[in-house]
Amino acid sequence: MDIVRVEFLLRLLAILLLVLTACLVGFDSQTKVVFLTVQIKANFKYLGALSVLVWIDAAAAIYNVLQLLRCFLIATSKVDIKQISHKNYWFFFLLDQVVVYIVFAANSAAIEASAIALIGIKSLQWMKICNRFTRFCIQIGAALILGYIAVLILFLVSSISAFQLFRLYSPKHFLKLKTKLIDDSYVVHQNVLQNDLQNN
């Protein structure tokens, strides 16, 4: 199995986990009677970190869908992936790094906010709510676990992006492209110029 197919499968798994996390958090709600007739509905909108988590996971899933299309085009085309410009690989590598860190930060913030909901803070008179909204908290906990699994998958994807980028460079010289790649890109560039001249 080549590296593009591995990347495709990992991105597909990451998309499923990100969508599942966003759905578990976004559709989670529980209504309880707190006082005699007063009903309180717990949902993700009451914790800002959970709202951010839903939006970030949705955006990361959309980004990975677009990257899936790129992987599909590379896998089905007959173009050697080394012919693709090294600048594109830098772009994809940096985007993958940003996505991993943002999803990790969103999950970490959501865990911190959920811990406050779980144990409360007596000095600030913040009550714990998970003793009343048990099902809501269990579902949020399961979503956060899936979110961290998605972070691990995205870390593997960014490692593949790093491998695809840095294999284009010489192991002996710092940030110098391999000579074969430079020669190939020069030949491709010359062919494009000759085609343009012939068409004009």
Side-chain angles (χ1 to χ4, degrees):
M1 184 179 290
D2 64 343
I3 196 162
V4 177
R5 289 183 184 172
V6 171
E7 182 184 356
F8 184 88
L9 293 175
L10 286 175
R11 285 191 189 277
L12 187 61
L13 183 58
I15 290 167
L16 293 174
L17 289 170
L18 289 167
V19 168
L20 190 55
T21 300
C23 288
L24 281 174
V25 173
F27 294 117
D28 188 15
S29 66
Q30 186 178 6
T31 305
K32 283 266 185 152
V33 176
V34 178
F35 299 108
L36 297 173
T37 57
V38 178
Q39 288 188 343
I40 294 180
K41 183 177 183 180
N43 62 23
F44 75 99
K45 294 177 183 175
Y46 290 117
L47 282 175
L50 293 179
S51 298
V52 170
L53 178 68
V54 169
W55 288 108
I56 284 180
D57 280 358
I62 291 169
Y63 164 76
N64 278 291
V65 166
L66 295 175
Q67 288 286 17
L68 267 186
L69 294 174
R70 179 187 63 85
C71 291
F72 179 75
L73 291 175
I74 290 173
T76 56
S77 70
K78 296 181 179 178
V79 177
D80 183 17
I81 61 172
K82 289 184 180 179
Q83 295 291 336
I84 299 171
S85 172
H86 68 283
K87 293 175 185 175
N88 291 337
Y89 282 111
W90 272 108
F91 181 68
F92 298 139
F93 168 70
L94 292 174
L95 279 179
D96 284 338
Q97 293 294 312
V98 167
V99 168
V100 170
Y101 288 123
I102 289 178
V103 172
F104 176 74
N107 275 285
S108 299
I111 281 210
E112 183 181 4
S114 299
I116 292 171
L118 182 65
I119 60 174
I121 299 177
K122 288 184 179 178
S123 60
L124 297 175
Q125 296 181 349
W126 290 351
M127 298 184 321
K128 53 185 177 181
I129 64 165
C130 284
N131 57 345
R132 295 180 185 266
F133 298 96
T134 309
R135 185 185 56 76
F136 173 78
C137 289
I138 288 173
Q139 187 166 328
I140 293 293
L144 292 174
I145 290 170
L146 291 175
Y148 270 107
I149 295 171
V151 168
L152 291 174
I153 300 295
L154 290 172
F155 172 75
L156 292 175
V157 167
S158 69
S159 300
I160 290 174
S161 290
F163 173 76
Q164 287 180 332
L165 170 66
F166 291 113
R167 75 177 176 169
L168 302 176
Y169 288 91
S170 171
K172 296 179 181 177
H173 299 93
F174 182 69
L175 289 182
K176 183 177 179 186
L177 289 172
K178 292 179 180 174
T179 55
K180 183 180 185 309
L181 185 68
I182 294 171
D183 294 341
D184 289 346
S185 63
Y186 177 75
V187 168
V188 169
H189 183 66
Q190 291 299 322
N191 289 339
V192 169
L193 287 176
Q194 286 178 356
N195 289 338
D196 287 344
L197 290 173
Q198 288 174 356
N199 291 335
N200 292 331

